[in-house]
mmCIF file of all heavy atoms in Angstrom:
data_model
loop_
_atom_site.group_PDB
_atom_site.id
_atom_site.type_symbol
_atom_site.label_atom_id
_atom_site.label_comp_id
_atom_site.label_asym_id
_atom_site.label_seq_id
_atom_site.Cartn_x
_atom_site.Cartn_y
_atom_site.Cartn_z
ATOM 1 N N ARG A 97 -20.424 58.682 -35.026
ATOM 2 C CA ARG A 97 -21.835 58.404 -35.346
ATOM 3 C C ARG A 97 -21.989 58.033 -36.816
ATOM 4 O O ARG A 97 -22.853 57.253 -37.168
ATOM 5 C CB ARG A 97 -22.717 59.610 -35.031
ATOM 6 C CG ARG A 97 -23.029 59.756 -33.601
ATOM 7 C CD ARG A 97 -23.968 58.671 -33.190
ATOM 8 N NE ARG A 97 -24.327 58.829 -31.812
ATOM 9 C CZ ARG A 97 -24.958 57.948 -31.117
ATOM 10 N NH1 ARG A 97 -25.340 56.834 -31.693
ATOM 11 N NH2 ARG A 97 -25.241 58.137 -29.883
ATOM 12 N N LEU A 98 -21.165 58.594 -37.671
ATOM 13 C CA LEU A 98 -21.250 58.255 -39.091
ATOM 14 C C LEU A 98 -20.717 56.851 -39.353
ATOM 15 O O LEU A 98 -21.226 56.130 -40.205
ATOM 16 C CB LEU A 98 -20.469 59.273 -39.926
ATOM 17 C CG LEU A 98 -21.033 60.693 -39.970
ATOM 18 C CD1 LEU A 98 -20.081 61.608 -40.726
ATOM 19 C CD2 LEU A 98 -22.400 60.696 -40.628
ATOM 20 N N ILE A 99 -19.684 56.466 -38.617
ATOM 21 C CA ILE A 99 -19.070 55.156 -38.822
ATOM 22 C C ILE A 99 -19.911 54.053 -38.195
ATOM 23 O O ILE A 99 -20.144 53.016 -38.790
ATOM 24 C CB ILE A 99 -17.638 55.138 -38.252
ATOM 25 C CG1 ILE A 99 -16.754 56.085 -39.060
ATOM 26 C CG2 ILE A 99 -17.065 53.737 -38.255
ATOM 27 C CD1 ILE A 99 -15.387 56.292 -38.450
ATOM 28 N N VAL A 100 -20.380 54.244 -36.956
ATOM 29 C CA VAL A 100 -21.169 53.242 -36.246
ATOM 30 C C VAL A 100 -22.621 53.683 -36.263
ATOM 31 O O VAL A 100 -22.961 54.701 -35.682
ATOM 32 C CB VAL A 100 -20.673 53.091 -34.782
ATOM 33 C CG1 VAL A 100 -21.505 52.073 -34.043
ATOM 34 C CG2 VAL A 100 -19.205 52.737 -34.755
ATOM 35 N N PRO A 101 -23.527 52.927 -36.907
ATOM 36 C CA PRO A 101 -24.932 53.324 -36.976
ATOM 37 C C PRO A 101 -25.596 53.251 -35.601
ATOM 38 O O PRO A 101 -25.141 52.543 -34.709
ATOM 39 C CB PRO A 101 -25.551 52.315 -37.941
ATOM 40 C CG PRO A 101 -24.608 51.165 -37.971
ATOM 41 C CD PRO A 101 -23.266 51.706 -37.636
ATOM 42 N N ASP A 102 -26.717 53.979 -35.454
ATOM 43 C CA ASP A 102 -27.431 54.049 -34.193
ATOM 44 C C ASP A 102 -27.924 52.691 -33.727
ATOM 45 O O ASP A 102 -27.952 52.406 -32.544
ATOM 46 C CB ASP A 102 -28.639 54.991 -34.302
ATOM 47 C CG ASP A 102 -28.198 56.448 -34.347
ATOM 48 O OD1 ASP A 102 -27.070 56.732 -33.894
ATOM 49 O OD2 ASP A 102 -28.975 57.288 -34.826
ATOM 50 N N ASP A 103 -28.342 51.830 -34.659
ATOM 51 C CA ASP A 103 -28.902 50.555 -34.250
ATOM 52 C C ASP A 103 -27.852 49.591 -33.721
ATOM 53 O O ASP A 103 -28.179 48.539 -33.203
ATOM 54 C CB ASP A 103 -29.704 49.905 -35.370
ATOM 55 C CG ASP A 103 -28.857 49.575 -36.591
ATOM 56 O OD1 ASP A 103 -27.730 50.085 -36.702
ATOM 57 O OD2 ASP A 103 -29.349 48.804 -37.436
ATOM 58 N N ALA A 104 -26.569 49.940 -33.800
ATOM 59 C CA ALA A 104 -25.525 49.087 -33.233
ATOM 60 C C ALA A 104 -25.592 49.108 -31.717
ATOM 61 O O ALA A 104 -25.128 48.199 -31.054
ATOM 62 C CB ALA A 104 -24.146 49.544 -33.695
ATOM 63 N N ASP A 105 -26.184 50.164 -31.144
ATOM 64 C CA ASP A 105 -26.332 50.263 -29.702
ATOM 65 C C ASP A 105 -27.510 49.457 -29.191
ATOM 66 O O ASP A 105 -27.702 49.336 -27.990
ATOM 67 C CB ASP A 105 -26.505 51.735 -29.286
ATOM 68 C CG ASP A 105 -25.260 52.554 -29.591
ATOM 69 O OD1 ASP A 105 -24.161 51.980 -29.650
ATOM 70 O OD2 ASP A 105 -25.411 53.769 -29.755
ATOM 71 N N THR A 106 -28.342 48.929 -30.067
ATOM 72 C CA THR A 106 -29.521 48.182 -29.658
ATOM 73 C C THR A 106 -29.071 46.887 -29.000
ATOM 74 O O THR A 106 -28.346 46.117 -29.596
ATOM 75 C CB THR A 106 -30.417 47.861 -30.871
ATOM 76 O OG1 THR A 106 -30.739 49.079 -31.527
ATOM 77 C CG2 THR A 106 -31.687 47.161 -30.433
ATOM 78 N N PRO A 107 -29.501 46.658 -27.754
ATOM 79 C CA PRO A 107 -29.043 45.462 -27.053
ATOM 80 C C PRO A 107 -29.740 44.209 -27.558
ATOM 81 O O PRO A 107 -30.843 44.264 -28.086
ATOM 82 C CB PRO A 107 -29.438 45.741 -25.601
ATOM 83 C CG PRO A 107 -30.607 46.653 -25.705
ATOM 84 C CD PRO A 107 -30.370 47.487 -26.945
ATOM 85 N N LEU A 108 -29.059 43.081 -27.379
ATOM 86 C CA LEU A 108 -29.675 41.796 -27.658
ATOM 87 C C LEU A 108 -30.505 41.410 -26.443
ATOM 88 O O LEU A 108 -30.068 41.542 -25.311
ATOM 89 C CB LEU A 108 -28.615 40.726 -27.903
ATOM 90 C CG LEU A 108 -27.795 40.876 -29.165
ATOM 91 C CD1 LEU A 108 -26.768 39.751 -29.227
ATOM 92 C CD2 LEU A 108 -28.679 40.829 -30.386
ATOM 93 N N HIS A 109 -31.717 40.965 -26.671
ATOM 94 C CA HIS A 109 -32.592 40.531 -25.592
ATOM 95 C C HIS A 109 -32.829 39.046 -25.710
ATOM 96 O O HIS A 109 -32.616 38.449 -26.752
ATOM 97 C CB HIS A 109 -33.930 41.272 -25.643
ATOM 98 C CG HIS A 109 -33.780 42.746 -25.420
ATOM 99 N ND1 HIS A 109 -33.598 43.281 -24.173
ATOM 100 C CD2 HIS A 109 -33.747 43.780 -26.283
ATOM 101 C CE1 HIS A 109 -33.481 44.596 -24.286
ATOM 102 N NE2 HIS A 109 -33.562 44.914 -25.551
ATOM 103 N N GLU A 110 -33.306 38.443 -24.635
ATOM 104 C CA GLU A 110 -33.591 37.028 -24.639
ATOM 105 C C GLU A 110 -35.065 36.809 -24.913
ATOM 106 O O GLU A 110 -35.906 37.537 -24.428
ATOM 107 C CB GLU A 110 -33.262 36.409 -23.275
ATOM 108 C CG GLU A 110 -31.813 36.467 -22.930
ATOM 109 C CD GLU A 110 -31.517 35.836 -21.582
ATOM 110 O OE1 GLU A 110 -32.460 35.396 -20.898
ATOM 111 O OE2 GLU A 110 -30.345 35.792 -21.222
ATOM 112 N N ALA A 111 -35.359 35.820 -25.700
ATOM 113 C CA ALA A 111 -36.739 35.406 -25.918
ATOM 114 C C ALA A 111 -36.831 33.950 -25.507
ATOM 115 O O ALA A 111 -36.108 33.113 -26.009
ATOM 116 C CB ALA A 111 -37.132 35.575 -27.379
ATOM 117 N N HIS A 112 -37.713 33.662 -24.552
ATOM 118 C CA HIS A 112 -37.884 32.293 -24.093
ATOM 119 C C HIS A 112 -38.854 31.606 -25.028
ATOM 120 O O HIS A 112 -40.006 31.992 -25.131
ATOM 121 C CB HIS A 112 -38.407 32.257 -22.662
ATOM 122 C CG HIS A 112 -37.450 32.879 -21.693
ATOM 123 N ND1 HIS A 112 -36.377 32.197 -21.193
ATOM 124 C CD2 HIS A 112 -37.383 34.118 -21.168
ATOM 125 C CE1 HIS A 112 -35.699 32.967 -20.379
ATOM 126 N NE2 HIS A 112 -36.283 34.144 -20.353
ATOM 127 N N VAL A 113 -38.373 30.595 -25.719
ATOM 128 C CA VAL A 113 -39.202 29.856 -26.665
ATOM 129 C C VAL A 113 -39.137 28.388 -26.276
ATOM 130 O O VAL A 113 -38.191 27.691 -26.623
ATOM 131 C CB VAL A 113 -38.698 30.037 -28.119
ATOM 132 C CG1 VAL A 113 -39.607 29.303 -29.081
ATOM 133 C CG2 VAL A 113 -38.611 31.509 -28.475
ATOM 134 N N PRO A 114 -40.146 27.916 -25.504
ATOM 135 C CA PRO A 114 -40.102 26.515 -25.140
ATOM 136 C C PRO A 114 -40.375 25.644 -26.358
ATOM 137 O O PRO A 114 -41.130 26.027 -27.237
ATOM 138 C CB PRO A 114 -41.216 26.366 -24.107
ATOM 139 C CG PRO A 114 -42.076 27.551 -24.257
ATOM 140 C CD PRO A 114 -41.264 28.621 -24.926
ATOM 141 N N THR A 115 -39.739 24.485 -26.394
ATOM 142 C CA THR A 115 -40.009 23.578 -27.494
ATOM 143 C C THR A 115 -41.439 23.083 -27.356
ATOM 144 O O THR A 115 -41.966 22.947 -26.256
ATOM 145 C CB THR A 115 -39.038 22.387 -27.474
ATOM 146 O OG1 THR A 115 -39.145 21.749 -26.203
ATOM 147 C CG2 THR A 115 -37.616 22.820 -27.721
ATOM 148 N N THR A 116 -42.093 22.819 -28.474
ATOM 149 C CA THR A 116 -43.505 22.484 -28.440
ATOM 150 C C THR A 116 -43.778 20.992 -28.470
ATOM 151 O O THR A 116 -44.872 20.570 -28.197
ATOM 152 C CB THR A 116 -44.224 23.128 -29.642
ATOM 153 O OG1 THR A 116 -43.576 22.710 -30.835
ATOM 154 C CG2 THR A 116 -44.193 24.628 -29.535
ATOM 155 N N VAL A 117 -42.792 20.195 -28.796
ATOM 156 C CA VAL A 117 -42.996 18.767 -28.878
ATOM 157 C C VAL A 117 -42.517 18.129 -27.588
ATOM 158 O O VAL A 117 -41.373 18.300 -27.197
ATOM 159 C CB VAL A 117 -42.234 18.165 -30.086
ATOM 160 C CG1 VAL A 117 -42.428 16.665 -30.156
ATOM 161 C CG2 VAL A 117 -42.690 18.830 -31.365
ATOM 162 N N TYR A 118 -43.394 17.398 -26.908
ATOM 163 C CA TYR A 118 -43.001 16.741 -25.672
ATOM 164 C C TYR A 118 -42.244 15.459 -25.992
ATOM 165 O O TYR A 118 -42.725 14.587 -26.686
ATOM 166 C CB TYR A 118 -44.209 16.402 -24.812
ATOM 167 C CG TYR A 118 -43.817 15.563 -23.618
ATOM 168 C CD1 TYR A 118 -43.150 16.129 -22.547
ATOM 169 C CD2 TYR A 118 -44.071 14.212 -23.594
ATOM 170 C CE1 TYR A 118 -42.766 15.368 -21.477
ATOM 171 C CE2 TYR A 118 -43.683 13.433 -22.518
ATOM 172 C CZ TYR A 118 -43.030 14.020 -21.464
ATOM 173 O OH TYR A 118 -42.635 13.267 -20.402
ATOM 174 N N THR A 119 -41.055 15.400 -25.506
ATOM 175 C CA THR A 119 -40.278 14.168 -25.572
ATOM 176 C C THR A 119 -39.603 14.011 -24.230
ATOM 177 O O THR A 119 -38.937 14.933 -23.759
ATOM 178 C CB THR A 119 -39.207 14.212 -26.686
ATOM 179 O OG1 THR A 119 -38.431 15.383 -26.523
ATOM 180 C CG2 THR A 119 -39.836 14.198 -28.062
ATOM 181 N N PRO A 120 -39.772 12.902 -23.563
ATOM 182 C CA PRO A 120 -39.196 12.735 -22.224
ATOM 183 C C PRO A 120 -37.704 12.460 -22.301
ATOM 184 O O PRO A 120 -37.257 11.354 -22.084
ATOM 185 C CB PRO A 120 -39.962 11.528 -21.678
ATOM 186 C CG PRO A 120 -40.302 10.742 -22.898
ATOM 187 C CD PRO A 120 -40.539 11.751 -23.988
ATOM 188 N N THR A 121 -36.943 13.486 -22.656
ATOM 189 C CA THR A 121 -35.508 13.297 -22.809
ATOM 190 C C THR A 121 -34.758 14.436 -22.157
ATOM 191 O O THR A 121 -35.322 15.484 -21.871
ATOM 192 C CB THR A 121 -35.118 13.263 -24.302
ATOM 193 O OG1 THR A 121 -35.351 14.555 -24.851
ATOM 194 C CG2 THR A 121 -35.910 12.232 -25.059
ATOM 195 N N ALA A 122 -33.486 14.224 -21.969
ATOM 196 C CA ALA A 122 -32.649 15.256 -21.364
ATOM 197 C C ALA A 122 -32.224 16.301 -22.382
ATOM 198 O O ALA A 122 -31.808 17.372 -22.017
ATOM 199 C CB ALA A 122 -31.416 14.622 -20.734
ATOM 200 N N THR A 123 -32.317 16.004 -23.674
ATOM 201 C CA THR A 123 -31.842 16.948 -24.678
ATOM 202 C C THR A 123 -32.832 17.155 -25.810
ATOM 203 O O THR A 123 -32.458 17.605 -26.868
ATOM 204 C CB THR A 123 -30.507 16.462 -25.289
ATOM 205 O OG1 THR A 123 -30.737 15.176 -25.885
ATOM 206 C CG2 THR A 123 -29.421 16.367 -24.242
ATOM 207 N N ALA A 124 -34.080 16.847 -25.617
ATOM 208 C CA ALA A 124 -35.135 16.986 -26.616
ATOM 209 C C ALA A 124 -34.895 16.110 -27.840
ATOM 210 O O ALA A 124 -35.414 16.371 -28.884
ATOM 211 C CB ALA A 124 -35.326 18.443 -27.031
ATOM 212 N N GLN A 125 -34.088 15.102 -27.702
ATOM 213 C CA GLN A 125 -33.828 14.140 -28.772
ATOM 214 C C GLN A 125 -34.333 12.794 -28.281
ATOM 215 O O GLN A 125 -33.760 12.224 -27.362
ATOM 216 C CB GLN A 125 -32.322 14.045 -29.082
ATOM 217 C CG GLN A 125 -31.679 15.342 -29.458
ATOM 218 C CD GLN A 125 -32.004 15.739 -30.873
ATOM 219 O OE1 GLN A 125 -32.261 14.894 -31.709
ATOM 220 N NE2 GLN A 125 -32.015 17.017 -31.138
ATOM 221 N N PRO A 126 -35.411 12.263 -28.846
ATOM 222 C CA PRO A 126 -35.958 11.001 -28.354
ATOM 223 C C PRO A 126 -34.922 9.881 -28.296
ATOM 224 O O PRO A 126 -34.939 9.061 -27.396
ATOM 225 C CB PRO A 126 -37.058 10.671 -29.357
ATOM 226 C CG PRO A 126 -37.424 11.969 -29.971
ATOM 227 C CD PRO A 126 -36.176 12.800 -29.941
ATOM 228 N N SER A 127 -34.020 9.851 -29.228
ATOM 229 C CA SER A 127 -33.028 8.780 -29.253
ATOM 230 C C SER A 127 -32.086 8.872 -28.060
ATOM 231 O O SER A 127 -31.613 7.844 -27.558
ATOM 232 C CB SER A 127 -32.246 8.819 -30.557
ATOM 233 O OG SER A 127 -31.542 10.027 -30.663
ATOM 234 N N ASP A 128 -31.790 10.069 -27.551
ATOM 235 C CA ASP A 128 -30.891 10.216 -26.412
ATOM 236 C C ASP A 128 -31.487 9.614 -25.142
ATOM 237 O O ASP A 128 -30.792 8.935 -24.392
ATOM 238 C CB ASP A 128 -30.545 11.687 -26.168
ATOM 239 C CG ASP A 128 -29.660 12.262 -27.255
ATOM 240 O OD1 ASP A 128 -29.078 11.478 -28.030
ATOM 241 O OD2 ASP A 128 -29.557 13.497 -27.327
ATOM 242 N N ALA A 129 -32.774 9.857 -24.889
ATOM 243 C CA ALA A 129 -33.425 9.292 -23.705
ATOM 244 C C ALA A 129 -33.479 7.780 -23.816
ATOM 245 O O ALA A 129 -33.196 7.072 -22.850
ATOM 246 C CB ALA A 129 -34.824 9.860 -23.540
ATOM 247 N N ARG A 130 -33.832 7.293 -24.975
ATOM 248 C CA ARG A 130 -33.904 5.837 -25.153
ATOM 249 C C ARG A 130 -32.515 5.211 -25.009
ATOM 250 O O ARG A 130 -32.378 4.149 -24.412
ATOM 251 C CB ARG A 130 -34.517 5.501 -26.519
ATOM 252 C CG ARG A 130 -34.781 4.047 -26.704
ATOM 253 C CD ARG A 130 -35.803 3.526 -25.663
ATOM 254 N NE ARG A 130 -35.610 2.102 -25.488
ATOM 255 C CZ ARG A 130 -35.674 1.448 -24.338
ATOM 256 N NH1 ARG A 130 -35.974 2.089 -23.235
ATOM 257 N NH2 ARG A 130 -35.466 0.174 -24.275
ATOM 258 N N ASP A 131 -31.482 5.882 -25.536
ATOM 259 C CA ASP A 131 -30.113 5.382 -25.366
ATOM 260 C C ASP A 131 -29.749 5.300 -23.889
ATOM 261 O O ASP A 131 -29.137 4.327 -23.440
ATOM 262 C CB ASP A 131 -29.111 6.281 -26.090
ATOM 263 C CG ASP A 131 -29.187 6.171 -27.605
ATOM 264 O OD1 ASP A 131 -29.814 5.220 -28.110
ATOM 265 O OD2 ASP A 131 -28.619 7.062 -28.277
ATOM 266 N N MET A 132 -30.124 6.331 -23.138
ATOM 267 C CA MET A 132 -29.829 6.349 -21.707
ATOM 268 C C MET A 132 -30.573 5.212 -21.005
ATOM 269 O O MET A 132 -30.006 4.515 -20.153
ATOM 270 C CB MET A 132 -30.233 7.704 -21.120
ATOM 271 C CG MET A 132 -29.844 7.918 -19.708
ATOM 272 S SD MET A 132 -30.269 9.609 -19.239
ATOM 273 C CE MET A 132 -29.629 9.642 -17.586
ATOM 274 N N GLU A 133 -31.845 5.008 -21.362
ATOM 275 C CA GLU A 133 -32.621 3.920 -20.764
ATOM 276 C C GLU A 133 -32.014 2.556 -21.108
ATOM 277 O O GLU A 133 -31.913 1.680 -20.239
ATOM 278 C CB GLU A 133 -34.074 3.994 -21.234
ATOM 279 C CG GLU A 133 -34.831 5.166 -20.650
ATOM 280 C CD GLU A 133 -36.195 5.403 -21.272
ATOM 281 O OE1 GLU A 133 -36.483 4.830 -22.347
ATOM 282 O OE2 GLU A 133 -36.979 6.176 -20.686
ATOM 283 N N GLU A 134 -31.584 2.379 -22.344
ATOM 284 C CA GLU A 134 -30.983 1.106 -22.755
ATOM 285 C C GLU A 134 -29.682 0.837 -22.007
ATOM 286 O O GLU A 134 -29.399 -0.296 -21.621
ATOM 287 C CB GLU A 134 -30.748 1.085 -24.267
ATOM 288 C CG GLU A 134 -32.025 0.945 -25.065
ATOM 289 C CD GLU A 134 -31.817 1.091 -26.568
ATOM 290 O OE1 GLU A 134 -30.676 1.393 -27.015
ATOM 291 O OE2 GLU A 134 -32.805 0.922 -27.300
ATOM 292 N N ARG A 135 -28.887 1.874 -21.810
ATOM 293 C CA ARG A 135 -27.640 1.702 -21.054
ATOM 294 C C ARG A 135 -27.928 1.310 -19.610
ATOM 295 O O ARG A 135 -27.251 0.456 -19.032
ATOM 296 C CB ARG A 135 -26.811 2.986 -21.104
ATOM 297 C CG ARG A 135 -26.206 3.233 -22.485
ATOM 298 C CD ARG A 135 -25.425 4.530 -22.564
ATOM 299 N NE ARG A 135 -24.339 4.543 -21.597
ATOM 300 C CZ ARG A 135 -23.811 5.649 -21.104
ATOM 301 N NH1 ARG A 135 -24.256 6.824 -21.483
ATOM 302 N NH2 ARG A 135 -22.826 5.583 -20.239
#
């Protein structure tokens, strides 16, 4: 207990944070969608 602090047992949790900018792309990079469309 002295070597490993109590907060080391605190688990990592997930936070869902959707991106706020709408871009019609597969990777949220406008250039990637346009590249795919051009191809």
